Amino acid sequence: MTSHDGTLRVLSTSDLAGIDISLADVVETVEGAYRTLHAGRSDNPRKLTVKPEDGHSVSYAMLGRDGTRDVVAVKTSYKHGLDKSRDQQHYYTTLTLYDDVTGLPVAMMDCSRIGSLRTPAVSALIARECARPGARTALVIGTGTQGRLALPFLLTTLPGLERLMVFGTHAEGITAVRDQLRAHFPDRDVEIVTDVRAAASDADVNVATAGAHTPAAVESAWLKPGALSILVGHGLAPSTLHRADRVIATSEAQMHVTGTDMADADGELPAVDAEFPPVLAGLTAGRRHAEERIFAYNSGLVVTDIALGHRFAQLAIARNLGTEVALWK
C-alpha cells in the first residue's frame, strides 16, 4: 500500500470525508495503539512546541513509530489566532506516514478528521476504565470539533449512560452535537444545559472540550463523589486537578507541556498518579474506589494518530482516493 518510489499520495480533507468508519472501529484502533505502546513496541517521544510571547499562535511537531504496523510518521499542528474568536482562527494539521519495512512513503494527509475522531475515542476509553461503576450521567462542555462526537463515543464504551448533557455557547455547535448524536444513536437525545454548576454536580462523567474563551470553569467543590473529569480543551478550573483524589494522564510529560494553564498560583502541576497506557493494559488501577474524584488529562499521543491515520490510508488507497505527487522527482 506504499507509494511508488519518488511519489507521495496526498489525501485531502474531502478525500477523507468520504470514508465511512464506525465508532467501534476507531475505538478498537486507538486502543490497540495504546496497548502496543505500553508493550514497548512503539515509540512516542515528547512533542515539540513553539509559541510566540504574545500567544497569538501555537505550533506542535510530533514524531512516532507504530510497532504493530511498522509505520513511522510525523505530525504537525499549527493554530493561528488564539487571541481571536473561533471563526477568525486558522488551523492546519498534517500527518505523513512512511512504511518502515519497505522504506517508502505511504501517504500525507490532512489530520483534522483523524484528530476529531481520535481524541473523543481516547476520552471514551478513559471513561470506560475510570468512571464510577454504574455511571449514568455525562456532561460535555463545548460544542466545537472535539465536543461534537464526545457523546457518541461515550455511548460506545459506556452504553449504560442514561442522561446526556451538553453546555455550549454557539447555536450552530449545539445543533451539530445533537445531529451527530442522532446520526449514531437515532433513539437518543441530548439535554442542553445553561447552569454548568448544577449540571456538573449531577454528572458522573464530565468531558471538557471547549475553547479558551468558554465561560465555563467547573470547580472541584461542584463535583459529586466519584465524578470523573476529563480535560481535553477548556472548561474545568484548576481545582478539579489539584483537589482530585487521583490524577490520570495520557502522558505526564505532555501534560507538563500543554497543561500549564492548569498550574497553581506557584506555577506548579501536581504529580500524576498513573499514566493511561498501563491503566488500559490492566496493570495499574484507573479507579481504586467508587467515591474518589478522578481528574484525567487527555493530551493525545501521536501513536494513536499514526494508527488511525494508517487505517484511513488503507481505506483510501483501497478506493484509489488521493493524488500522487512526484515530490522527490
Side-chain angles (χ1 to χ4, degrees), residues 3-10 105 323-329:
S3 300
H4 297 296
D5 192 17
T7 66
L8 179 67
R9 184 182 294 263
V10 177
T323 303
E324 292 283 351
V325 178
L327 186 62
W328 295 289
K329 287 186 178 181

Side-chain angles (χ1 to χ4, degrees), residues 120-184:
V122 173
S123 292
L125 285 168
I126 293 172
R128 189 189 74 188
E129 300 297 324
C130 300
R132 65 179 299 164
R136 291 291 180 264
T137 303
L139 167 65
V140 173
I141 299 170
T143 60
T145 300
Q146 297 302 334
R148 297 177 184 185
L149 280 170
L151 290 173
F153 273 107
L154 283 175
L155 285 173
T156 301
T157 60
L158 291 179
L161 289 173
E162 297 172 352
R163 186 183 179 194
L164 309 175
M165 300 180 287
V166 66
F167 171 84
T169 57
H170 299 276
E172 68 278 8
I174 291 171
T175 298
V177 167
R178 177 167 275 140
D179 290 345
Q180 285 285 357
L181 179 60
R182 288 176 173 169
H184 294 282

Side-chain angles (χ1 to χ4, degrees), residues 130-132 200-201 203-204 206 218-230 239-248 273 286-296:
C130 300
R132 65 179 299 164
S201 69
D204 296 305
N206 297 276
V218 172
E219 295 285 353
S220 175
W222 304 354
L223 301 174
K224 66 193 294 187
L228 167 66
S229 299
I230 303 172
S239 64
T240 57
L241 167 60
H242 293 273
R243 297 178 186 173
D245 298 310
R246 189 161 176 78
V247 177
I248 308 290
D273 294 299
R287 171 178 293 275
R288 297 167 301 182
H289 58 80
E291 297 299 295
E292 67 181 347
R293 295 182 178 91
I294 297 177
F295 176 94

Side-chain angles (χ1 to χ4, degrees), residues 26 29 102-103 157 177 180 183 204 224 266 272 310 322:
V26 174
T29 300
T102 65
T157 60
V177 167
Q180 285 285 357
D204 296 305
K224 66 193 294 187
D266 297 322
V272 168
H310 188 260

